Coordinates of all heavy atoms in Angstrom, one line a residue:
D1064 N 46.1 191.6 18.4 CA 47.2 192.3 17.8 C 46.8 193.7 17.4 O 47.6 194.7 17.5 CB 47.8 191.6 16.6 CG 48.4 190.3 16.9 OD1 48.8 190.1 18.1 OD2 48.6 189.4 16.0
G1065 N 45.6 193.9 17.0 CA 45.1 195.2 16.6 C 45.1 196.2 17.7 O 45.5 197.4 17.5
E1066 N 44.6 195.8 18.8 CA 44.6 196.7 20.0 C 46.0 197.0 20.5 O 46.2 198.2 20.8 CB 43.8 196.0 21.2 CG 42.2 196.0 20.9 CD 41.9 194.9 20.0 OE1 42.5 193.8 19.9 OE2 40.9 195.1 19.2
A1067 N 46.9 196.0 20.5 CA 48.3 196.3 20.9 C 48.9 197.3 20.0 O 49.6 198.2 20.4 CB 49.0 195.0 21.0
A1068 N 48.7 197.1 18.7 CA 49.3 197.9 17.6 C 48.8 199.3 17.8 O 49.6 200.3 17.6 CB 49.1 197.4 16.3
L1069 N 47.5 199.5 18.0 CA 46.9 200.8 18.2 C 47.5 201.5 19.4 O 47.9 202.7 19.3 CB 45.4 200.7 18.4 CG 44.6 202.0 18.8 CD1 44.7 203.0 17.7 CD2 43.2 201.7 19.2
L1070 N 47.6 200.9 20.5 CA 48.2 201.5 21.7 C 49.6 201.9 21.5 O 50.0 203.0 21.8 CB 48.1 200.5 22.9 CG 48.5 201.1 24.2 CD1 47.6 202.3 24.6 CD2 48.4 200.1 25.3
K1071 N 50.4 201.0 20.9 CA 51.8 201.3 20.7 C 52.0 202.4 19.7 O 52.9 203.3 19.9 CB 52.5 200.0 20.1 CG 54.0 200.2 20.1 CD 54.7 198.8 19.8 CE 56.2 198.9 19.9 NZ 56.9 197.6 19.8
S1072 N 51.1 202.5 18.7 CA 51.2 203.6 17.7 C 50.9 205.0 18.3 O 51.6 205.9 18.2 CB 50.2 203.3 16.6 OG 50.2 204.5 15.7
L1073 N 49.9 205.0 19.2 CA 49.5 206.2 19.8 C 50.6 206.7 20.8 O 50.9 207.9 20.9 CB 48.2 206.1 20.6 CG 46.9 206.0 19.7 CD1 45.7 205.6 20.5 CD2 46.7 207.3 18.9
L1074 N 51.1 205.7 21.6 CA 52.1 206.1 22.6 C 53.5 206.3 22.1 O 54.3 206.9 22.9 CB 52.1 205.1 23.7 CG 50.7 204.9 24.5 CD1 50.8 203.8 25.5 CD2 50.4 206.3 25.1
S1075 N 53.8 205.9 20.9 CA 55.1 206.1 20.4 C 55.5 207.6 20.3 O 56.7 207.9 20.4 CB 55.3 205.5 19.0 OG 54.4 206.1 18.1
S1076 N 54.5 208.5 20.2 CA 54.8 209.9 20.2 C 55.3 210.4 21.6 O 55.8 211.5 21.8 CB 53.6 210.7 19.8 OG 52.6 210.5 20.6
C1077 N 55.1 209.6 22.6 CA 55.5 210.0 24.0 C 56.8 209.4 24.4 O 57.2 209.5 25.5 CB 54.4 209.5 25.0 SG 52.8 210.3 24.8
G1078 N 57.4 208.6 23.5 CA 58.7 208.0 23.8 C 58.8 206.5 23.4 O 58.1 206.1 22.5
L1079 N 59.6 205.8 24.1 CA 59.8 204.3 23.9 C 58.6 203.6 24.5 O 58.2 203.8 25.6 CB 61.1 203.9 24.6 CG 61.4 202.4 24.4 CD1 61.8 202.0 23.0 CD2 62.5 202.0 25.4
C1080 N 58.0 202.7 23.7 CA 56.9 201.9 24.1 C 57.0 200.5 23.7 O 57.2 200.2 22.5 CB 55.6 202.5 23.5 SG 54.1 201.7 24.1
E1081 N 57.1 199.6 24.6 CA 57.3 198.2 24.4 C 56.2 197.3 25.0 O 55.8 197.5 26.1 CB 58.7 197.7 25.0 CG 59.9 198.5 24.4 CD 60.3 198.0 23.1 OE1 59.8 196.9 22.6 OE2 61.3 198.6 22.5
E1082 N 55.8 196.2 24.2 CA 54.9 195.3 24.8 C 55.7 194.2 25.5 O 56.7 193.7 25.0 CB 54.1 194.6 23.7 CG 53.1 193.6 24.3 CD 52.1 193.0 23.3 OE1 52.3 193.2 22.1 OE2 51.3 192.2 23.7
V1083 N 55.3 193.8 26.8 CA 56.1 192.9 27.6 C 55.1 192.0 28.3 O 53.9 192.2 28.4 CB 56.9 193.6 28.6 CG1 57.9 194.6 28.0 CG2 56.0 194.4 29.6
P1084 N 55.6 190.8 28.8 CA 54.8 190.0 29.7 C 54.4 190.8 30.9 O 55.2 191.7 31.4 CB 55.7 188.8 30.0 CG 56.8 188.8 29.0 CD 57.0 190.2 28.5
E1085 N 53.3 190.5 31.5 CA 52.8 191.3 32.7 C 53.8 191.2 33.8 O 53.9 192.2 34.6 CB 51.5 190.8 33.1 CG 50.8 191.8 34.1 CD 49.4 191.4 34.6 OE1 49.1 190.2 34.3 OE2 48.7 192.2 35.2
S1086 N 54.5 190.1 33.9 CA 55.5 190.0 35.0 C 56.6 191.0 35.0 O 57.3 191.3 36.0 CB 56.1 188.6 35.0 OG 56.8 188.3 33.8
Y1087 N 56.8 191.7 33.8 CA 57.9 192.7 33.7 C 57.4 194.1 34.2 O 58.2 194.9 34.3 CB 58.3 192.8 32.3 CG 59.0 191.6 31.6 CD1 59.3 190.5 32.4 CD2 59.6 191.7 30.3 CE1 59.9 189.4 31.8 CE2 60.3 190.7 29.8 CZ 60.5 189.5 30.5 OH 61.1 188.5 29.9
I1088 N 56.1 194.2 34.4 CA 55.6 195.6 34.7 C 56.2 196.1 36.0 O 56.6 197.3 36.1 CB 54.1 195.6 34.6 CG1 53.6 195.5 33.1 CG2 53.5 196.9 35.2 CD1 52.1 195.6 32.9
N1089 N 56.2 195.3 37.0 CA 56.7 195.7 38.3 C 58.2 195.9 38.2 O 58.7 196.9 38.9 CB 56.4 194.7 39.4 CG 55.0 194.7 39.8 OD1 54.3 195.7 39.7 ND2 54.5 193.6 40.3
I1090 N 58.9 195.2 37.4 CA 60.3 195.4 37.1 C 60.5 196.8 36.5 O 61.5 197.5 36.8 CB 61.0 194.3 36.3 CG1 60.7 192.9 37.0 CG2 62.5 194.5 36.1 CD1 61.2 191.8 36.1
H1091 N 59.7 197.1 35.5 CA 59.7 198.3 34.8 C 59.6 199.5 35.8 O 60.2 200.5 35.8 CB 58.7 198.4 33.8 CG 58.5 199.8 33.1 ND1 59.4 200.2 32.2 CD2 57.7 200.8 33.3 CE1 59.0 201.5 31.8 NE2 58.0 201.8 32.4
T1092 N 58.7 199.3 36.8 CA 58.5 200.3 37.8 C 59.8 200.6 38.6 O 60.2 201.8 38.8 CB 57.4 199.9 38.8 OG1 56.2 199.7 38.1 CG2 57.2 200.9 39.9
G1093 N 60.5 199.5 38.9 CA 61.8 199.6 39.6 C 62.9 200.2 38.8 O 63.7 200.9 39.3
L1094 N 62.9 199.8 37.5 CA 63.9 200.3 36.6 C 63.7 201.7 36.1 O 64.6 202.5 36.1 CB 63.9 199.3 35.4 CG 64.8 199.7 34.2 CD1 66.2 199.8 34.5 CD2 64.6 198.7 33.0
S1095 N 62.5 202.0 35.7 CA 62.3 203.2 34.9 C 61.3 204.2 35.6 O 61.6 205.4 35.7 CB 61.7 202.9 33.5 OG 61.6 204.1 32.8
G1096 N 60.2 203.6 36.2 CA 59.2 204.5 36.8 C 59.9 205.2 38.1 O 59.9 206.4 38.1
S1097 N 60.5 204.4 38.9 CA 61.3 204.9 40.1 C 62.7 205.4 39.6 O 63.3 206.3 40.2 CB 61.4 204.0 41.2 OG 60.1 203.6 41.6
G1098 N 63.2 204.7 38.5 CA 64.6 205.0 38.1 C 64.8 206.4 37.7 O 65.9 206.9 37.8
V1099 N 63.8 207.1 37.2 CA 64.0 208.5 36.9 C 64.6 209.3 38.1 O 65.4 210.2 38.0 CB 62.6 209.2 36.5 CG1 62.8 210.7 36.3 CG2 62.1 208.6 35.2
A1100 N 64.1 209.0 39.3 CA 64.6 209.6 40.5 C 66.0 209.3 40.8 O 66.8 210.1 41.3 CB 63.7 209.2 41.7
Y1101 N 66.4 208.0 40.5 CA 67.8 207.7 40.7 C 68.7 208.5 39.8 O 69.8 209.0 40.2 CB 68.2 206.2 40.4 CG 67.1 205.1 40.7 CD1 67.0 204.0 40.0 CD2 66.2 205.3 41.8 CE1 66.1 203.0 40.4 CE2 65.3 204.4 42.1 CZ 65.3 203.2 41.4 OH 64.3 202.2 41.7
V1102 N 68.3 208.8 38.6 CA 69.0 209.6 37.6 C 69.1 211.0 38.1 O 70.2 211.6 38.0 CB 68.4 209.5 36.2 CG1 69.1 210.4 35.2 CG2 68.5 208.0 35.7
Y1103 N 68.0 211.5 38.6 CA 68.1 212.9 39.1 C 69.1 213.0 40.3 O 69.8 214.0 40.4 CB 66.7 213.4 39.6 CG 65.7 213.5 38.5 CD1 64.3 213.3 38.7 CD2 66.1 214.0 37.3 CE1 63.4 213.5 37.7 CE2 65.2 214.2 36.3 CZ 63.8 213.9 36.5 OH 62.9 214.1 35.5
L1104 N 69.1 212.0 41.1 CA 70.1 212.0 42.2 C 71.5 212.0 41.7 O 72.4 212.7 42.2 CB 69.8 210.8 43.1 CG 70.6 210.7 44.4 CD1 70.3 211.9 45.4 CD2 70.4 209.4 45.2
F1105 N 71.7 211.2 40.7 CA 73.1 211.1 40.1 C 73.5 212.4 39.4 O 74.6 212.9 39.6 CB 73.1 209.9 39.1 CG 74.5 209.7 38.5 CD1 75.5 209.2 39.2 CD2 74.7 210.0 37.2 CE1 76.8 209.0 38.7 CE2 76.0 209.9 36.6 CZ 77.0 209.4 37.4
A1106 N 72.5 213.0 38.7 CA 72.7 214.3 38.1 C 73.0 215.4 39.1 O 74.0 216.2 38.9 CB 71.5 214.7 37.3
E1107 N 72.3 215.3 40.2 CA 72.6 216.3 41.3 C 74.0 216.1 41.8 O 74.8 217.1 42.1 CB 71.6 216.1 42.4 CG 71.7 217.1 43.6 CD 70.7 216.8 44.7 OE1 70.1 215.7 44.6 OE2 70.6 217.6 45.6
A1108 N 74.4 214.9 42.0 CA 75.8 214.6 42.5 C 76.8 215.0 41.5 O 77.9 215.6 41.9 CB 75.9 213.1 42.9

């Protein structure tokens, strides 16, 4: 818990930071990592 709390505290200054099961990490890539590009495409349109 201490290591998780430290990482979350440090990264909170960079935006939203959530602890998740590892199986969610690839979903996060599809949703948010790549999702930024979907939003740029929508903004362009």
Side-chain angles (χ1 to χ4, degrees):
D1064 292 343
E1066 288 75 35
L1069 172 63
L1070 186 61
K1071 190 167 185 176
S1072 173
L1073 287 173
L1074 295 178
S1075 63
S1076 59
C1077 296
L1079 178 70
C1080 184
E1081 299 279 355
E1082 182 176 3
V1083 299
E1085 189 178 18
S1086 60
Y1087 290 7
I1088 288 184
N1089 287 335
I1090 302 172
H1091 173 76
T1092 300
L1094 168 64
S1095 186
S1097 299
V1099 174
Y1101 321 154
V1102 174
Y1103 290 146
L1104 185 65
F1105 183 70
E1107 183 184 10

